[in-house]
Amino acid sequence: MSTPSEFHQFYDDVPVGVALLDGDFRIEECNAAFRVLIDEDTPAGRPFTDFVAKRQAEEVAERLAAVAGGSADPAPVAAYMSSAGERAASVYLSRLAEPNGGAPRLLLHMIDTTEQKKLEVKFAQSQKMQAVGQLAGGIAHDFNNLLTAMIGFCDLLLQRYRPGEQSFADVMQIKQNANRGA
């Protein structure tokens, strides 16, 4: 992978974003999928962290340094691209040792996870709505139980009074309102 033509020959048609970073984590070469993910046509020479959301730039820079130093685990880094409308991506990093003892370069693979993140947010929202629905259903059920008890006690009170009495009319009014509430 010493020449740009070799890089493009192997990686240009790959559906995953691929970039080669130099020892200062600047983009040397990248494929078309990478340019789409970062929403930049000419990223060469710029640090990779320029394309990461500001809130994550430091974390990603630390991860780049750890991988370059050989001390990071191979787990991907979840990152949001700043210039691409907050596109989400999983970033996989591989260390490429320089044969002449220079600073190691990094091979970066990026998989677009924007749709997955959106689905996760929708799923979390639907779970919240389901919980609210269950809570509301439980409250409505309990309230209906209370109204049923009120109606039953009204029926018992109505047996004590005659239709012409003032208390009879008051109990009937309570029963009618409880029935409407039920």
Side-chain angles (χ1 to χ4, degrees):
M1 243 187 306
S2 59
T3 66
S5 61
E6 287 178 351
F7 181 90
H8 291 291
Q9 177 185 353
F10 292 116
Y11 294 111
D12 247 1
D13 296 327
V14 176
V16 174
V18 180
L20 183 62
L21 306 182
D22 66 14
D24 295 323
F25 313 128
R26 294 181 184 281
I27 299 167
E28 286 184 8
E29 293 290 329
C30 62
N31 68 351
F34 181 85
R35 289 189 296 274
V36 168
L37 280 169
I38 64 170
D39 197 25
E40 178 71 38
D41 291 332
T42 55
R46 294 180 56 193
F48 174 66
T49 53
D50 282 1
F51 303 103
V52 176
K54 290 187 189 310
R55 67 182 184 272
Q56 289 185 300
E58 186 177 326
E59 173 191 351
V60 171
E62 289 173 2
R63 184 59 181 264
L64 291 170
V67 171
S71 64
D73 63 357
V77 177
Y80 286 93
M81 303 297 106
S82 61
S83 61
E86 288 291 316
R87 237 189 178 133
S90 287
V91 180
Y92 296 83
L93 299 164
S94 301
R95 182 177 188 258
L96 302 174
E98 284 295 311
N100 60 3
R105 297 187 300 169
L106 297 178
L107 184 61
L108 180 143
H109 293 83
M110 238 172 29
I111 299 172
D112 189 351
T113 58
T114 305
E115 290 304 314
Q116 179 182 345
K117 295 293 183 188
K118 287 179 183 177
L119 288 173
E120 288 172 3
V121 168
K122 285 182 182 179
F123 182 69
Q125 182 64 25
S126 70
Q127 284 183 317
K128 289 177 190 175
M129 294 303 293
Q130 183 180 5
V132 168
Q134 287 176 343
L135 178 64
I139 291 171
H141 181 75
D142 289 347
F143 185 68
N144 197 39
N145 287 344
L146 291 173
L147 291 174
T148 301
M150 288 173 61
I151 292 168
F153 282 117
C154 285
D155 287 339
L156 290 174
L157 284 173
L158 288 174
Q159 290 177 1
R160 292 185 186 174
Y161 299 106
R162 304 265 178 241
E165 297 179 44
Q166 178 62 33
S167 294
F168 185 86
D170 292 340
V171 173
M172 279 301 293
Q173 187 65 37
I174 292 169
K175 183 178 177 179
Q176 288 172 355
N177 288 329
N179 280 323
R180 269 198 305 266

